[in-house]
Amino acid sequence: GAGVSQSPSNKVTEKGKDVELRCDPISGHTALYWYRQRLGQGLEFLIYFQGNSAPDKSGLPSDRFSAERTGESVSTLTIQRTQQEDSAVYLCASSLGDYSNQPQHFGDGTRLSIL
Amino acid sequence: EDQVTQSPEALRLQEGESSSLNCSYTVSGLRGLFWYRQDPGKGPEFLFTLYSAGEEKEKERLKATLTKKESFLHITAPKPEDSATYLCAYSGSARQLTFGSGTQLTVLP
């Protein structure tokens, strides 16, 4: 079956512009996560969605970052007024249900470069 | 403070030379310990979940084990295609995974 799909795969933009990143989770997966991976570093949690519950936004680094999810499907991560420190790979993952011991399955990410 | 530490940061092996990667963790209420493989330019690929001390899981040349303080990923007779970054992560009371910084494994032919 299809895995987690992210688009675009690469995005280059100028400092100060807004960007929108998209994630299509695995069908039937109700939990969706966004992570950020800076070059040579581990993954940092950004935000978590589960069904119709309020999202866990505790990992968002600033108010320039926001995310939405339509039901139990597509999610978009928006970064406003981008800064050079936002350059990173943004990874989306999905998992079955609201169980913290379920494995998360990742997409290949969006590589964001801020000039 | 909950945290996870992986060692070594990098490991170079000759083909067929077995070794182990370490993941040490301090977390209250561990729900699961996860191992992932990440190839360059790709997202992490799920390998194993371990839930309790003493548990072991195997897949091809890989075996993961768990104690109360650490997990090991044993690689037996590795091949060049095993070259990748191996990540461990835990889940606790929060839903998100907390990742270590990874071990970059290179297997030379």
Side-chain angles (χ1 to χ4, degrees):
Chain A
V4 176
S5 177
Q6 293 189 244
S7 62
S9 54
N10 287 282
K11 177 73 176 178
V12 181
T13 192
E14 294 180 347
K15 176 181 172 182
K17 300 287 189 183
D18 297 352
V19 295
E20 190 173 278
L21 314 179
R22 177 187 169 103
C23 172
D24 283 277
I26 294 172
S27 179
H29 281 193
T30 58
L32 186 147
Y33 307 78
W34 285 97
Y35 293 85
R36 177 171 70 179
Q37 187 174 30
R38 290 191 165 120
L39 187 64
Q41 299 185 21
L43 279 71
E44 304 171 70
F45 165 73
L46 297 177
I47 189 168
Y48 158 69
F49 295 91
Q50 168 58 40
N52 294 318
S53 301
D56 176 354
K57 303 179 182 180
S58 60
L60 294 178
S62 78
D63 59 7
R64 296 186 295 103
F65 287 73
S66 63
E68 293 183 348
R69 188 181 185 192
T70 307
E72 294 185 348
S73 60
V74 173
S75 176
T76 56
L77 176 69
T78 301
I79 309 173
Q80 296 178 310
R81 305 181 303 281
T82 52
Q83 304 294 313
Q84 288 186 332
E85 62 263 28
D86 299 333
S87 295
V89 176
Y90 290 82
L91 291 159
C92 175
S94 68
S95 68
L96 281 170
D98 185 23
Y99 306 106
S100 59
N101 59 1
Q102 287 290 322
Q104 297 176 21
H105 298 274
F106 286 81
D108 286 336
T110 293
R111 182 165 282 98
L112 177 63
S113 300
I114 310 298
L115 301 178
Chain B
E1 178 184 347
D2 294 350
Q3 61 180 1
V4 57
T5 304
Q6 290 189 247
S7 62
E9 292 185 6
L11 181 63
R12 291 166 68 91
L13 299 173
Q14 290 295 134
E15 184 172 3
E17 179 186 1
S18 301
S19 188
S20 297
L21 312 182
N22 178 263
C23 172
S24 298
Y25 63 92
T26 53
V27 56
S28 55
L30 180 77
R31 298 280 184 91
L33 190 292
F34 300 81
W35 282 98
Y36 286 84
R37 168 190 173 130
Q38 187 172 28
D39 292 297
K42 299 291 187 181
E45 174 190 351
F46 170 70
L47 294 173
F48 304 108
T49 309
L50 302 166
Y51 297 106
S52 58
E55 189 175 2
E56 299 183 352
K57 288 191 176 174
E58 291 189 60
K59 179 181 179 180
E60 297 182 353
R61 294 177 293 282
L62 301 177
K63 183 170 80 171
T65 62
L66 183 66
T67 72
K68 289 186 178 180
K69 294 183 178 181
E70 56 193 349
S71 178
F72 292 94
L73 184 66
H74 306 280
I75 304 176
T76 302
K79 297 181 178 181
E81 53 261 42
D82 295 323
S83 297
T85 296
Y86 291 85
L87 301 169
C88 78
Y90 69 80
S91 65
S93 55
R95 295 294 184 262
Q96 69 268 23
L97 295 178
T98 300
F99 282 84
S101 54
T103 294
Q104 185 174 3
L105 175 66
T106 303
V107 182
L108 303 172

